[in-house]
Amino acid sequence: MKGRESGMPDESYWDSFFDADCIVTELDCAKTKTESVVEFGSGYGTFTLPLARKTSGTIYALDIEDDLISQLKRKAFDNGLSNINARSRDFISEGTGLPDKAVDHAMVYNILHIENPISLLKEAFRVLKPSGSISIIHWKHDPATPRGPSLNIRPRPEQCRAWAEEAGFEFLRDQDLSVCCKYHYGMLLTRPHSE
């Protein structure tokens, strides 16, 4: 099931909004050189490719769009990145297909305006190892942003945090991303070790 208002613009326009390398660094997406990551909605690979250069762990890049997955596979091959496992997957309806407690980090970027964000966050919680982390970014709730979902479905930071906590995560920190992308906010949460 494709999330509401989830279409992608032209790739160069999309990439102009982010310093993706900065974002994956600021949000500790690969704290070690061997961390495995699941990315919900990999799109053009904007964040996938910089992250794959930072870790030798597997990056499970999931997207519902077959053509975007094909493009990402080509980009990974062209860049000599063998640790990207790009999969065409309806993770909203079917989950990730990954086993429980399988990855170190989950990336949930620009997607929590979907119809049932808590379900997606519960799936992220399920596949994370205890003490694993999740990074969230989304468009600021500001009509001046050049893109993003309608304001009436665009979540504010406190809403994303509340949803993530309802899914079982513990809040670690808000992350100022203004140096990386002026139209977005970010946060980092963790799956408690005891879960």
Side-chain angles (χ1 to χ4, degrees):
M1 177 176 86
K2 194 167 179 178
R4 59 186 174 176
E5 297 190 34
S6 60
M8 295 290 285
D10 174 76
E11 184 173 3
S12 60
Y13 181 59
W14 177 252
D15 287 347
S16 72
F17 297 126
F18 312 100
D19 178 341
D21 189 66
C22 176
I23 291 170
V24 299
T25 299
E26 291 293 311
L27 287 169
D28 297 334
C29 296
K31 291 182 289 191
T32 71
K33 296 283 188 191
T34 58
E35 288 205 341
S36 57
V37 179
V38 59
E39 181 182 16
F40 290 82
S42 53
Y44 294 119
T46 304
F47 305 102
T48 322
L49 297 166
L51 180 59
R53 292 182 187 102
K54 292 183 177 297
T55 180
S56 62
T58 302
I59 312 299
Y60 298 97
L62 310 177
D63 203 283
I64 196 169
E65 301 287 349
D66 293 337
D67 60 326
L68 291 177
I69 290 297
S70 295
Q71 288 176 40
L72 179 53
K73 286 178 177 179
R74 274 195 307 276
K75 290 175 188 175
F77 178 80
D78 291 346
N79 284 275
L81 297 169
S82 60
N83 60 333
I84 296 174
N85 184 332
R87 300 178 181 185
S88 178
R89 181 104 184 156
D90 183 353
F91 55 80
I92 292 174
S93 296
E94 302 168 0
T96 60
L98 296 173
D100 293 353
K101 303 176 183 178
V103 297
D104 299 293
H105 188 83
M107 297 165 61
V108 178
Y109 292 1
N110 298 310
I111 197 169
L112 288 181
H113 57 279
I114 61 171
E115 289 83 349
N116 190 349
I118 295 171
S119 177
L120 185 148
L121 290 163
K122 285 181 177 178
E123 175 65 1
F125 186 92
R126 183 187 70 76
V127 301
L128 275 176
K129 297 174 183 177
S131 301
S133 59
I134 181 172
S135 55
I136 296 171
I137 72 167
H138 213 296
W139 294 90
K140 291 179 180 175
H141 200 276
D142 180 351
T145 55
R147 178 119 177 106
S150 304
L151 290 178
N152 64 323
I153 64 168
R154 191 183 306 192
R156 296 177 187 269
E158 57 271 18
Q159 184 63 72
C160 290
R161 177 178 173 175
W163 288 332
E165 288 175 338
E166 185 173 337
F169 290 103
E170 288 182 359
F171 180 75
L172 292 176
R173 70 175 190 263
D174 286 314
Q175 183 64 51
D176 178 8
L177 294 177
S178 56
V179 68
C180 307
C181 52
K182 64 182 178 178
Y183 301 116
H184 291 76
Y185 59 84
M187 66 185 67
L188 193 66
L189 302 98
T190 188
R191 176 177 174 155
H193 184 71
S194 58
E195 291 292 327

